[in-house]
Amino acid sequence: DAGVTQSPTHLIKTRGQQVTLRCSPKSGHDTVSWYQQALGQGPQFIFQYYEEEERQRGNFPDRFSGHQFPNYSSELNVNALLLGDSALYLCASSSFGGTDRYSNQPQHFGDGTRLSIL
Amino acid sequence: AQKITQTQPGMFVQEKEAVTLDCTYDTSDPSYGLFWYKQPSSGEMIFLIYQGSYDQQNATEGRYSLNFQKARKSANLVISASQLGDSAMYFCAMREGHTGANSKLTFGKGITLSVRP
């Protein structure tokens, strides 16, 4: 049973460049969430995709955008990279819980992509 | 105001002993879920345990248990019989909202746990 896979593992970019990170969800999952984790901090929610649409968004600028494909995989794009974008980017997948307010399903995380901006 | 507070900067425990990692939270939503994740140095986030706001009993999963005190808004993780492999960062996270598994998670800053042989 394949878990969440992310690529690439590491990436080095310079300021002003653009980057695309990729995520394949766990088998059977249809929802993908992206998180940014700065060094020494907890992950912060960027956005979530379900049915190829952005469903929720955290407090991140429009430079951060995403996409979900029909096979549920997802991409995170960041434009005009800043030094402060250096972080571990985590993808998490889950099954859409609908109106189940009491679902105990956890989000399953990938190993992350470590992005360094020079 | 922080929604998830983890104030212990680092914890040390002797192998085979128990350790408690603290977490307090803040929410006005009566329906919420609390999660604990473990993050080794490799970076992966590993789900450990879940507690729902309406659960009557404290959650347990193997060596992990959750000391849930709803009135105090605390959800402390207890690890029994610590092992060397338990050395990692531990994050408390909260899910609010009405869409079950798919509401965003809000994380604390984490706690570093080091297990001594």
Side-chain angles (χ1 to χ4, degrees):
Chain A
D1 181 19
V4 179
T5 58
Q6 292 186 242
S7 64
T9 306
H10 294 87
L11 204 50
I12 300 174
K13 292 286 188 179
T14 57
R15 283 178 297 173
Q17 285 189 312
Q18 177 265 345
V19 68
T20 297
L21 311 182
R22 295 176 175 83
C23 172
S24 292
K26 179 180 168 65
S27 178
H29 286 178
D30 55 15
T31 303
V32 172
S33 302
W34 287 92
Y35 293 82
Q36 180 195 65
Q37 185 179 16
L39 194 63
Q41 301 294 318
Q44 290 203 324
F45 176 75
I46 303 175
F47 43 52
Q48 182 182 84
Y49 277 83
Y50 170 68
E51 290 187 329
E52 303 179 47
E53 290 188 9
E54 183 182 293
R55 298 289 175 161
Q56 295 184 72
R57 189 179 182 92
N59 189 24
F60 279 80
D62 292 344
R63 298 187 297 108
F64 289 77
S65 63
H67 188 78
Q68 185 179 35
F69 299 93
N71 67 351
Y72 309 122
S73 66
S74 177
E75 288 182 350
L76 164 65
N77 302 294
V78 187
N79 295 322
L81 287 166
L82 303 174
L83 292 178
D85 295 332
S86 294
L88 178 68
Y89 288 84
L90 294 163
C91 170
S93 75
S94 54
S95 297
F96 192 70
T99 57
D100 181 4
R101 297 177 58 163
Y102 311 119
S103 170
N104 63 354
Q105 289 186 59
Q107 293 185 7
H108 293 258
F109 284 80
D111 291 351
T113 294
R114 198 166 296 276
L115 176 62
S116 299
I117 311 301
L118 302 180
Chain B
Q2 284 187 344
K3 290 201 170 187
I4 297 286
T5 302
Q6 295 181 265
T7 58
Q8 298 161 305
M11 293 286 287
F12 293 89
V13 65
Q14 205 66 31
E15 193 178 8
K16 300 181 184 178
E17 292 186 349
V19 63
T20 298
L21 307 181
D22 296 341
C23 172
T24 59
Y25 61 92
D26 184 33
T27 180
S28 58
D29 193 326
S31 173
Y32 54 90
L34 295 158
F35 299 80
W36 276 90
Y37 283 86
K38 170 186 176 182
Q39 188 177 42
S41 56
S42 57
E44 63 186 308
M45 295 286 280
I46 303 167
F47 166 70
L48 298 177
I49 197 167
Y50 166 85
Q51 181 82 46
S53 59
Y54 293 102
D55 292 343
Q56 295 298 312
Q57 293 186 329
N58 287 343
T60 61
E61 287 285 349
R63 295 187 299 111
Y64 305 106
S65 60
L66 209 149
N67 183 4
F68 181 48
Q69 298 186 44
K70 195 171 181 177
R72 297 181 59 187
K73 294 188 174 180
S74 73
N76 299 337
L77 176 70
V78 180
I79 305 174
S80 63
S82 296
Q83 302 172 357
L84 296 178
D86 293 335
S87 295
M89 281 285 287
Y90 288 80
F91 290 95
C92 178
M94 178 170 62
R95 166 184 56 76
E96 298 172 288
H98 310 296
T99 55
N102 298 287
S103 292
K104 68 177 185 179
L105 292 176
T106 300
F107 285 84
K109 292 187 176 182
I111 302 167
T112 301
L113 176 65
S114 300
V115 180
R116 292 169 168 158

